[in-house]
Amino acid sequence: MSLIALIPILALLALSSRVLAEKKIITPDSIRGLDPALYNKYEPNSSNTFQCLDGSKVIPYSAINDDYCDCPDGSDEPGTSACPNTYFYCKNEGHIPGKVLSSRVNDGICDPECCDGSDEWFTGVCFSQCSEIGKKYRAEEEIIRKTRKTGSKIRGTYIKWAQGEKNRIEADLEAKKKEVVEKEKEVERARIALEKTESSSKEELEKKKKSPIYKSLLDHRLTLTRLRSKTQRLENELNSLRSILEELAKGYNPNYQDMAVKAAVVGYEELSGISPTPGEESEGDVKEEPKEEEIKEWELDDLQRKDLEALLWEHSPADEEDGDEDEESGLLWKIDEYIPDSLYDSWETLRDLTIEWLIKLGLSGKSKIVKGSAAEGPHVAAAREKHRNLGNELKKLNDAITDSEDTLQRMNTEFGPQAEWKKLDGTCVDKVSGDYTYEICFFGKTKQKSNKDGSSNYMGTFAEWNTAATPGTYDYYTKQLYNNGGRCWNGPLRSVQVDLSCGKENALLSISEPEKCEYQFRVTTPALCWPEGEGEESDVKVEEDVKAEAIKEEL
């Protein structure tokens, strides 16, 4: 028998010897490829049997790792490739343990998950590299740990600042609410005062309307209206007569000896300034009468639109006679601005009484009138202005309260578990990539600016966090979406998917465009550096996020 023919037999004998060796397994820790977490399920019993982990079968203990799949769940073959739906556990001494699919056991390929090469126990083609790989891994982990520790401290300052900001907003909100209560009372007092002043003003105006001057002005206005109507009617008639004479003049035969017609035509020509008909002599030079200055229509309109009620407030007989401002009464009116609301009613009575006696004693003319609206006195205008100003102040207070309540609501939901992201609200980071500078302002807008001509494209506004994750979890804060940006030429609206990770600083690391006008930013921030013990279920994700930043710093 040739040597080549003996090779398969030798291989079969080697495998048989290994299988026989497997049958001597008596403890869980000696079972090849078994996960230590399952040791308690593989403890030998007095009957020397093993129950499949799915409870479907009971087999001899010696059938474990016999290279034959007895259990439907493959639990009897953790160390061979006999069952395709299980995992082979690698101890990887000097590094962290790993797992590979059972189908990859003894396939002649060195899998990185098993740096100790134990998954190739039969082929023997792989040697342990766990010492070197473990050393490099621990160095990277140390960098990651330091990055996370530093970032966590910075995040702590964000949280402290946010707490202070929250306390400040809450205190300011409480103060504004109290201020609103007082301001509402002021507005109500001003409204009542305005109504009383308006009522008093109407009575005073009605008295002024009974004066002879006002009645005369009304008569003049009525007469002016009737005169304009009559003038318009006469102008229409004159235009009709002109049209008739014009037609007569055009068809007039100078050889026709009708003196009445001739006289009418000549009179029309003289009136219109038309030169005499050829062959006809002018009977003499017509003396040109001086023209009166024509009254423009807009002048008549202004006269008719003149607000007579306003004139009653703006002028008085005493003003026309004296020609000087009444300083005493004017001063009394000015004091109105400095009187507290609680004392205004008493002051108003005292002021009016004082002015009345000044007039009676001849020490003052009429009270000084400040220009108000069309049908109201200066005191009404002042009261209305005060009421309007107080109303505006109240509206501003209510708007500020709404803004503060909205900010507090966002700090409890949108800005992270401890409102740490509030510190970054409006903070911008940018990066040059190719011909463009890309910028993102947290919770604001993203844009793309040309480095050649300075033009920019709006890329979207903050819309949401990672909707695929549960709000409040670590993963929830690892992605942001900025959408509804400017429309691309022959494409969709621009949008940006932001992938966030832990880092010592807020920085935009890279920009890519997986789809047309759909961009992807990689951003680091201390706000995502959760300390150890916080969000432990996401520690693996934290390490993966930090690793890229750590390796970048190492290089």
Side-chain angles (χ1 to χ4, degrees):
M1 183 179 295
S2 66
L3 182 61
I4 296 177
L6 287 175
I7 291 177
I9 298 175
L10 293 174
L12 181 61
L13 290 174
L15 179 59
S16 300
S17 62
R18 292 181 185 275
V19 171
L20 290 174
E22 293 289 343
K23 292 182 179 180
K24 297 179 181 180
I25 295 176
I26 57 173
T27 59
D29 61 343
S30 62
I31 299 177
R32 192 191 305 276
L34 180 62
D35 188 342
L38 300 176
Y39 278 0
N40 63 328
K41 298 183 181 297
Y42 285 78
E43 289 288 345
N45 53 36
S46 57
S47 59
N48 203 29
T49 59
F50 171 76
Q51 185 178 29
C52 300
L53 297 185
D54 62 359
S56 59
K57 293 176 66 176
V58 175
I59 62 175
Y61 200 83
S62 59
I64 296 176
N65 279 343
D66 65 351
D67 205 29
Y68 182 81
C69 193
D70 297 294
C71 296
D73 62 357
S75 55
D76 64 313
E77 297 296 320
T80 72
S81 59
C83 300
N85 56 342
T86 60
Y87 285 91
F88 181 94
Y89 180 84
C90 313
K91 293 182 179 180
N92 291 341
E93 295 182 4
H95 188 37
I96 57 175
K99 289 181 179 181
V100 296
L101 285 170
S102 57
S103 59
R104 292 159 61 183
V105 173
N106 290 321
D107 62 353
I109 299 175
C110 297
D111 297 295
E113 294 86 352
C114 287
C115 62
D116 59 358
S118 59
D119 61 317
E120 296 299 318
W121 55 268
F122 179 72
T123 63
V125 297
C126 300
F127 300 94
S128 177
Q129 301 179 20
C130 290
S131 178
E132 296 79 4
I133 294 176
K135 182 178 180 181
K136 182 179 179 181
Y137 174 81
R138 286 188 290 275
E140 291 176 354
E141 285 296 299
E142 180 63 17
I143 294 174
I144 291 172
R145 188 191 67 79
K146 290 181 179 179
T147 299
R148 178 172 176 172
K149 183 178 180 180
T150 302
S152 179
K153 289 181 180 179
I154 299 174
R155 177 176 179 264
T157 65
Y158 290 178
I159 295 172
K160 184 177 180 180
W161 180 89
Q163 187 59 51
E165 182 69 3
K166 185 176 182 180
N167 293 338
R168 183 193 67 77
I169 293 174
E170 289 175 341
D172 183 61
L173 182 60
E174 189 65 26
K176 280 186 170 62
K177 288 182 177 179
K178 292 180 180 179
E179 190 176 351
V180 162
V181 174
E182 294 302 318
K183 190 63 67 177
E184 287 175 341
K185 293 179 181 178
E186 289 185 42
V187 171
E188 181 61 18
R189 288 195 295 267
R191 184 190 65 79
I192 295 172
L194 175 59
E195 290 179 352
K196 290 175 61 178
T197 307
E198 285 177 334
S199 177
S200 174
S201 175
K202 288 177 182 178
E203 294 176 2
E204 187 177 352
L205 181 62
E206 290 303 318
K207 291 180 181 179
K208 289 179 178 291
K209 285 182 178 181
K210 295 177 181 179
S211 66
I213 294 179
Y214 184 73
K215 292 180 178 179
S216 176
L217 288 172
L218 289 178
D219 291 339
H220 279 75
R221 171 170 288 179
L222 179 60
T223 302
L224 175 61
T225 302
R226 293 167 59 191
L227 180 59
R228 293 188 73 184
S229 178
K230 182 178 180 179
T231 302
Q232 183 64 44
R233 186 174 67 254
L234 291 174
E235 286 181 352
N236 291 338
E237 292 176 358
L238 179 59
N239 289 334
S240 297
L241 289 174
R242 284 179 178 274
S243 297
I244 294 171
L245 290 172
E246 184 179 358
E247 292 299 322
L248 181 60
K250 289 179 180 178
Y252 165 67
N253 186 353
N255 297 322
Y256 186 67
Q257 301 300 318
D258 188 331
M259 299 307 294
V261 174
K262 179 178 181 181
V265 172
V266 171
Y268 165 72
E269 290 176 344
E270 291 177 351
L271 179 64
S272 303
I274 302 173
S275 53
T277 304
E280 293 290 327
E281 296 181 359
S282 175
E283 296 181 356
D285 295 333
V286 180
K287 185 177 180 181
E288 185 177 349
E289 297 181 0
K291 293 184 179 180
E292 295 181 358
E293 185 177 352
E294 184 179 355
I295 299 176
K296 304 294 190 298
E297 284 295 321
W298 64 266
E299 294 179 294
L300 297 176
D301 290 340
D302 284 349
L303 285 174
Q304 283 193 294
R305 284 197 298 262
K306 196 70 175 179
D307 194 336
L308 300 182
E309 293 180 357
L311 290 174
L312 290 178
W313 292 117
E314 293 176 4
H315 302 285
S316 67
D319 293 332
E320 296 172 3
E321 293 172 5
D322 299 339
D324 296 324
E325 291 185 348
D326 189 343
E327 296 180 0
E328 294 85 352
S329 58
L331 180 61
L332 291 173
W333 283 105
K334 288 182 179 179
I335 295 177
D336 276 10
E337 303 174 8
Y338 305 98
I339 300 300
D341 294 337
S342 58
L343 302 177
Y344 187 81
D345 291 341
S346 301
W347 160 250
E348 186 178 27
T349 303
L350 176 61
R351 178 202 65 203
D352 294 343
L353 183 62
T354 303
I355 293 175
E356 182 179 348
W357 277 102
L358 286 173
I359 295 173
K360 287 181 178 180
L361 296 174
L363 299 176
S364 174
K366 297 291 183 181
S367 60
K368 184 177 180 181
I369 302 298
V370 180
K371 186 175 181 180
S373 63
E376 63 185 21
H379 43 300
V380 177
R384 178 169 286 106
E385 181 68 15
K386 182 175 183 179
H387 180 260
R388 180 168 58 250
N389 290 339
L390 287 172
N392 290 337
E393 291 174 8
L394 178 60
K395 183 179 182 303
K396 289 180 180 178
L397 276 174
N398 283 322
D399 289 344
I401 287 175
T402 300
D403 290 342
S404 296
E405 290 176 339
D406 180 64
T407 299
L408 288 175
Q409 177 64 24
R410 293 180 69 192
M411 290 181 75
N412 292 331
T413 55
E414 186 174 298
F415 291 126
Q418 295 175 282
E420 62 269 27
W421 289 89
K422 173 61 180 172
K423 179 67 174 177
L424 300 182
D425 187 13
T427 299
C428 303
V429 292
D430 57 33
K431 181 178 179 62
V432 176
S433 179
D435 295 332
Y436 296 95
T437 296
Y438 294 85
E439 180 183 73
I440 175 174
C441 295
F442 292 108
F443 306 101
K445 298 180 178 180
T446 57
K447 66 180 182 180
Q448 175 195 58
K449 183 179 179 181
S450 172
N451 298 329
K452 294 181 178 179
D453 57 14
S455 62
S456 62
N457 293 315
Y458 166 53
M459 301 177 69
T461 302
F462 174 74
E464 60 191 15
W465 288 100
N466 182 14
T467 55
T470 304
T473 62
Y474 181 86
D475 287 346
Y476 182 72
Y477 301 103
T478 59
K479 294 182 184 296
Q480 285 185 338
L481 175 63
Y482 292 72
N483 61 8
N484 293 325
R487 184 174 295 280
C488 283
W489 183 84
N490 198 26
L493 298 178
R494 290 180 173 85
S495 64
V496 179
Q497 175 75 49
V498 182
D499 292 332
L500 298 152
S501 61
C502 170
K504 295 180 181 179
E505 59 182 11
N506 298 297
L508 175 55
L509 300 185
S510 66
I511 300 98
S512 60
E513 189 178 0
E515 300 291 339
K516 183 177 182 179
C517 296
E518 295 180 3
Y519 299 85
Q520 190 166 12
F521 289 1
R522 283 186 57 246
V523 175
T524 61
T525 172
L528 206 54
C529 293
W530 290 21
E532 294 182 9
E534 183 177 348
E536 291 182 351
E537 69 282 358
S538 300
D539 281 349
V540 174
K541 174 65 176 174
V542 174
E543 292 177 0
E544 290 176 353
D545 287 341
V546 175
K547 186 173 293 185
E549 173 69 9
I551 294 174
K552 180 174 74 72
E553 290 183 1
E554 186 183 53
L555 296 176

